[in-house]
Amino acid sequence: MNHKQYFSKWQRLQELLITTLLGDIPTIALGPKLRNFVYRRIFSRMGKPVYIQNGVEFLGTSAIEMGDEVYIFKGVRMDAKGHPNNKIYLGNGVALERYVDIGCMDNTCISIDDETFIAPDVCIAGPGNIKIGKHCMIASHSGIYANSHKFADPTTPMRYQGITRKGIVIEDDCWLGHGVTVLDGVTIGKGSVIGSGAVVNKDIPPYSVAVGAPARVIKSRVTKDLVAS
């Protein structure tokens, strides 16, 4: 076993020991304060203060970075393991509500910038890179999937035909309504609103309001002159 493999196994053991011992301590027993203090040993970076409720699962903590005043609620799962270049970044003031699931998969960076709110039961998955800007609101049961299965060959099972991984960008100050699906290769422009249940399979210009499956722009939030500037 080489030095890198040994170090990786030691990191994983340390991660398991700390999260197993402290992960389920409830708020009433000072669980968030203990996690805020001890988890700093295993994360790439952890700001002050960070509130982590009990029942949160972390994998690959050495690739997870958090800013100040981050809130992570019960049932959240963050998985950065699987590739040495994986990274999950949470900016200052980010809040992940219950049962948010974030997974890098392979050579992936998932970045959620300052003061963005992710509602319950949202799934954010690589292996394509995903960048979510500042001050965004992602409503519950939405899915952001930076991958798509290839299916051109009908003689081969689709699971063996590979995937695309173009990546997704959601720019600053976007609001995604309940149950929105964002597919691989999409950029949603700054200040856009995506209506509940929409399926976004192509780029959305800045300051647009888009609805439907597939999503279509129905109006702009500002005049064309302001959008151009």
mmCIF file of all heavy atoms in Angstrom, residues 20 22 26 62 74 76 79 89 96 103 110 148 156 187:
data_model
loop_
_atom_site.group_PDB
_atom_site.id
_atom_site.type_symbol
_atom_site.label_atom_id
_atom_site.label_comp_id
_atom_site.label_asym_id
_atom_site.label_seq_id
_atom_site.Cartn_x
_atom_site.Cartn_y
_atom_site.Cartn_z
ATOM 1 N N THR A 20 -19.869 8.927 13.151
ATOM 2 C CA THR A 20 -20.677 7.912 13.834
ATOM 3 C C THR A 20 -20.897 8.283 15.290
ATOM 4 O O THR A 20 -22.010 8.150 15.830
ATOM 5 C CB THR A 20 -20.004 6.532 13.740
ATOM 6 O OG1 THR A 20 -19.865 6.166 12.364
ATOM 7 C CG2 THR A 20 -20.832 5.481 14.457
ATOM 8 N N LEU A 22 -20.684 11.344 16.700
ATOM 9 C CA LEU A 22 -21.323 12.639 16.931
ATOM 10 C C LEU A 22 -22.535 12.913 16.058
ATOM 11 O O LEU A 22 -23.310 13.828 16.338
ATOM 12 C CB LEU A 22 -20.305 13.768 16.717
ATOM 13 C CG LEU A 22 -19.070 13.772 17.618
ATOM 14 C CD1 LEU A 22 -18.184 14.961 17.279
ATOM 15 C CD2 LEU A 22 -19.453 13.807 19.083
ATOM 16 N N PRO A 26 -28.589 14.657 19.485
ATOM 17 C CA PRO A 26 -29.643 15.648 19.195
ATOM 18 C C PRO A 26 -29.296 17.047 19.679
ATOM 19 O O PRO A 26 -28.355 17.256 20.453
ATOM 20 C CB PRO A 26 -30.852 15.083 19.947
ATOM 21 C CG PRO A 26 -30.265 14.284 21.064
ATOM 22 C CD PRO A 26 -28.986 13.710 20.536
ATOM 23 N N SER A 62 -13.043 15.325 3.377
ATOM 24 C CA SER A 62 -11.839 16.091 3.042
ATOM 25 C C SER A 62 -12.002 16.878 1.752
ATOM 26 O O SER A 62 -11.192 17.762 1.447
ATOM 27 C CB SER A 62 -10.626 15.156 2.921
ATOM 28 O OG SER A 62 -10.812 14.217 1.876
ATOM 29 N N LYS A 74 -31.549 17.941 9.223
ATOM 30 C CA LYS A 74 -31.631 16.488 9.362
ATOM 31 C C LYS A 74 -31.906 15.785 8.030
ATOM 32 O O LYS A 74 -32.717 16.239 7.221
ATOM 33 C CB LYS A 74 -32.739 16.142 10.366
ATOM 34 C CG LYS A 74 -32.848 14.673 10.699
ATOM 35 C CD LYS A 74 -33.959 14.419 11.700
ATOM 36 C CE LYS A 74 -33.662 15.054 13.043
ATOM 37 N NZ LYS A 74 -34.661 14.682 14.078
ATOM 38 N N VAL A 76 -29.925 15.315 5.458
ATOM 39 C CA VAL A 76 -29.101 15.718 4.309
ATOM 40 C C VAL A 76 -28.008 14.676 4.079
ATOM 41 O O VAL A 76 -27.435 14.123 5.027
ATOM 42 C CB VAL A 76 -28.480 17.111 4.538
ATOM 43 C CG1 VAL A 76 -27.411 17.417 3.492
ATOM 44 C CG2 VAL A 76 -29.562 18.182 4.510
ATOM 45 N N ASP A 79 -22.147 13.580 -0.641
ATOM 46 C CA ASP A 79 -21.210 12.537 -1.034
ATOM 47 C C ASP A 79 -20.178 13.102 -2.006
ATOM 48 O O ASP A 79 -20.485 13.376 -3.165
ATOM 49 C CB ASP A 79 -21.977 11.379 -1.680
ATOM 50 C CG ASP A 79 -21.069 10.197 -2.030
ATOM 51 O OD1 ASP A 79 -19.846 10.310 -1.863
ATOM 52 O OD2 ASP A 79 -21.602 9.176 -2.482
ATOM 53 N N TYR A 89 -18.646 22.629 -2.501
ATOM 54 C CA TYR A 89 -18.420 23.922 -1.851
ATOM 55 C C TYR A 89 -19.759 24.545 -1.490
ATOM 56 O O TYR A 89 -20.654 24.674 -2.345
ATOM 57 C CB TYR A 89 -17.652 24.858 -2.774
ATOM 58 C CG TYR A 89 -17.616 26.291 -2.266
ATOM 59 C CD1 TYR A 89 -16.770 26.656 -1.218
ATOM 60 C CD2 TYR A 89 -18.440 27.262 -2.809
ATOM 61 C CE1 TYR A 89 -16.747 27.951 -0.734
ATOM 62 C CE2 TYR A 89 -18.426 28.561 -2.342
ATOM 63 C CZ TYR A 89 -17.585 28.904 -1.297
ATOM 64 O OH TYR A 89 -17.582 30.195 -0.824
ATOM 65 N N LEU A 96 -29.249 24.094 3.641
ATOM 66 C CA LEU A 96 -29.730 22.855 3.032
ATOM 67 C C LEU A 96 -30.800 22.274 3.936
ATOM 68 O O LEU A 96 -30.510 21.832 5.046
ATOM 69 C CB LEU A 96 -28.589 21.846 2.865
ATOM 70 C CG LEU A 96 -27.344 22.296 2.088
ATOM 71 C CD1 LEU A 96 -26.330 21.153 2.023
ATOM 72 C CD2 LEU A 96 -27.706 22.776 0.690
ATOM 73 N N GLY A 103 -24.510 14.666 -4.684
ATOM 74 C CA GLY A 103 -23.542 13.624 -5.007
ATOM 75 C C GLY A 103 -22.654 14.000 -6.169
ATOM 76 O O GLY A 103 -23.139 14.363 -7.251
ATOM 77 N N ILE A 110 -19.209 20.556 -7.323
ATOM 78 C CA ILE A 110 -20.544 21.092 -7.091
ATOM 79 C C ILE A 110 -20.402 22.290 -6.156
ATOM 80 O O ILE A 110 -19.927 22.151 -5.028
ATOM 81 C CB ILE A 110 -21.481 20.032 -6.493
ATOM 82 C CG1 ILE A 110 -21.677 18.882 -7.490
ATOM 83 C CG2 ILE A 110 -22.830 20.658 -6.129
ATOM 84 C CD1 ILE A 110 -22.511 17.740 -6.966
ATOM 85 N N SER A 148 -26.654 12.548 -18.457
ATOM 86 C CA SER A 148 -27.759 12.002 -19.245
ATOM 87 C C SER A 148 -27.288 10.718 -19.912
ATOM 88 O O SER A 148 -26.187 10.664 -20.459
ATOM 89 C CB SER A 148 -28.219 12.996 -20.310
ATOM 90 O OG SER A 148 -29.316 12.474 -21.037
ATOM 91 N N THR A 156 -27.885 -2.411 -27.594
ATOM 92 C CA THR A 156 -27.074 -2.451 -26.370
ATOM 93 C C THR A 156 -27.866 -1.847 -25.217
ATOM 94 O O THR A 156 -28.483 -0.792 -25.385
ATOM 95 C CB THR A 156 -25.770 -1.654 -26.557
ATOM 96 O OG1 THR A 156 -25.047 -2.193 -27.668
ATOM 97 C CG2 THR A 156 -24.904 -1.717 -25.317
ATOM 98 N N THR A 187 -27.781 26.234 -18.923
ATOM 99 C CA THR A 187 -27.483 27.430 -18.130
ATOM 100 C C THR A 187 -28.777 28.210 -17.924
ATOM 101 O O THR A 187 -29.474 28.520 -18.897
ATOM 102 C CB THR A 187 -26.451 28.336 -18.824
ATOM 103 O OG1 THR A 187 -25.191 27.652 -18.893
ATOM 104 C CG2 THR A 187 -26.254 29.638 -18.052
#
